[in-house]
């Protein structure tokens, strides 16, 4: 597997979030559901595979060979289509996963704090685990990812300070920022924070894919989320991240809940905890998570913060998260009652000017395609959001 050399070209062509890889999901879903031609899906896949794919240590679920493999696997849909290409891509994904696991364990052994991209969903080992889980749930590589994530949740002492193992040494933007200069931050988001690993560990455990310490790792993350939870008149909410002084003082300075998005808001964080409650057979955890999401949906002040249609920050991601949460909810009708309002909100948002999956027009189109058919996606494309 060769490595692309033009970063801008790589981002545009090989990005699941912004480029041709993610855009291919829409014609694939349409073809698999019988609402579009296979020729369009084939053309989209050909555009993805036309050039060498990133297979170096930057490769992840949302970039390069793993991203292409994820999309191609969904398009294969349990048939023998594309198996030759998938075998080649599988080798690349396995190789990069083992290299990145080796580097992550070496980092822990040296008592250094991680970067978000070591473990997160978009760029890290959680995302690589998502592909392995979809492609080969019995693989030893997947089990090695799970063992790493268990180790990630163990407290880590560095420079005399003991913090959660996922505590990162940088700020959320990776740029110098005096707010985070004292000691990095703890990130709660689904995309870049610890609720991504929580959702993944929980989904695997629920499906009987487990390694020693996995349940305890889920409980450690949930305990930290309990410490960071804020209770208000409109219901529980969680900050996007906390700083070292906030961690030390057990005090959050964020004034209130931000927009109810999949990536950083209460919906994504609550969804991950719903999965955890189900995986651990913990009805109290499940009820807390579902109650937090329902109270969020009942709060106009939070819903009014959704001002775009995208998957990551906008109405499409919120709608898809609620639709998936309803499937496992103890009272599903309480969730489905909100769907017409959320669908109307999505339909009234102004679309962006590009076709990307996370922030462009492809994500909303995929969500609306499922809503108009009143069914889940045929290809489970929302597995890349840890929603399936």
């Amino acid at each position: 597997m060769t490595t692309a050399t033009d970063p801008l070209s790589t981002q545009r062509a090989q990005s699941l979030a912004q480029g041709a890889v993610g855009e291919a999901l829409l014609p694939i879903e349409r073809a698999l559901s019988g609402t579009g031609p296979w020729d369009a899906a084939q053309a989209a896949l050909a555009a993805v595979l036309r050039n060498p794919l990133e297979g170096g240590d930057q490769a992840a679920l949302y970039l390069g060979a793993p991203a292409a493999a994820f999309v191609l696997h969904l398009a294969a849909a349990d048939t023998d289509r594309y198996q030759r290409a998938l075998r080649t891509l599988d080798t690349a994904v396995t190789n990069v996963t083992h290299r990145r696991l080796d580097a992550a364990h070496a980092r822990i052994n040296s008592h250094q704090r991680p970067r978000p991209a070591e473990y997160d969903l978009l760029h890290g080992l959680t995302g690589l685990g998502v592909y392995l889980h979809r492609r080969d749930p019995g693989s030893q590589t997947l089990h090695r990812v799970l063992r790493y994530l268990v180790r990630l949740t163990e407290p880590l002492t560095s420079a005399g300070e003991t913090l959660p193992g996922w505590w990162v040494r940088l700020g959320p933007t990776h740029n110098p920022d005096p707010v985070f200069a004292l000691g990095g931050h703890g990130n709660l988001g689904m995309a870049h924070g610890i609720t991504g690993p929580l959702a993944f560990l929980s989904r695997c455990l629920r499906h009987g894919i487990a390694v020693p310490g996995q349940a305890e790792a889920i409980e450690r993350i949930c305990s930290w989320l309990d410490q960071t939870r804020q209770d208000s008149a409109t219901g529980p909410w969680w900050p996007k991240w906390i700083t070292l002084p906030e961690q030390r003082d057990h005090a959050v300075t964020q004034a209130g809940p931000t927009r109810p998005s999949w990536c950083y808001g209460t919906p994504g964080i609550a969804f991950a905890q719903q999965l955890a409650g189900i995986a651990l057979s913990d009805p109290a955890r499940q009820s807390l998570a579902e109650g937090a999401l329902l109270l969020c949906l009942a709060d106009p002040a939070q819903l009014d913060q959704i001002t775009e249609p995208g998957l990551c920050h906008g109405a499409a991601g919120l709608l898809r998260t609620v639709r998936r949460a309803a499937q496992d909810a103890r009272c599903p009708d309480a969730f489905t009652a909100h769907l017409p309002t959320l669908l109307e909100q999505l339909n009234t948002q102004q679309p962006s000017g590009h076709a990307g999956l996370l922030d462009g027009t492809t994500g909303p189109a995929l969500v609306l395609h499922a809503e108009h058919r009143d069914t889940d996606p045929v290809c489970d494309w929302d597995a890349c959001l840890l929603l399936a």
Side-chain angles (χ1 to χ4, degrees), residues 328-339:
D328 286 321
R330 298 161 72 84
C331 297
D333 290 349
F335 288 88
T336 56
H338 290 278
L339 294 174

Side-chain angles (χ1 to χ4, degrees), residues 49-206:
L49 300 174
R50 183 174 299 129
N51 297 308
L53 293 166
E54 171 66 57
D57 290 346
Q58 300 300 312
L61 178 63
Y62 275 73
L63 180 67
F70 174 78
V71 171
L72 204 62
H73 173 71
L74 296 185
D78 297 323
T79 70
D80 59 0
R81 289 191 296 261
Y82 315 123
Q83 291 308 303
R84 182 176 178 181
L86 277 167
R87 284 193 293 271
T88 300
L89 290 170
D90 283 341
T91 298
V93 173
T94 298
N95 288 342
V96 71
T97 302
H98 283 296
R99 288 198 307 270
R100 296 189 65 174
L101 284 166
D102 290 343
H105 284 295
R107 190 268 308 162
I108 296 173
N109 291 341
S110 65
H111 297 276
Q112 299 298 311
R113 304 245 174 254
R115 297 175 298 109
E118 177 186 293
Y119 66 80
D120 73 12
L121 172 63
L122 268 64
H123 306 297
L125 284 157
T126 295
L128 290 169
V130 166
Y131 174 71
L132 294 166
H133 180 230
R134 303 296 298 191
R135 179 70 174 151
D136 184 6
S139 76
Q140 289 303 306
T141 307
L142 172 58
H143 281 72
R144 194 173 174 217
V145 171
L146 292 172
R147 288 193 294 272
Y148 154 74
L149 290 174
V150 169
R151 192 179 184 200
L152 178 74
T153 70
E154 296 171 353
L156 179 69
T157 300
S158 178
E161 186 98 40
T162 300
L163 293 164
W166 60 83
W167 192 275
V168 300
R169 63 180 186 263
L170 305 169
T173 65
H174 299 185
N175 294 320
D177 188 326
V179 173
F180 305 99
L182 182 61
H185 75 292
N187 195 305
L188 283 76
M190 279 280 275
H192 300 296
I194 195 56
T195 49
L198 175 63
F200 182 63
L201 287 165
S202 300
R203 188 173 296 284
C204 287
L205 182 61
R206 186 181 181 189

Side-chain angles (χ1 to χ4, degrees), residues 3 5 59 85 114 125 140 176 201 237 326 379:
T3 302
T5 56
L125 284 157
Q140 289 303 306
L201 287 165
W237 59 273
C379 73

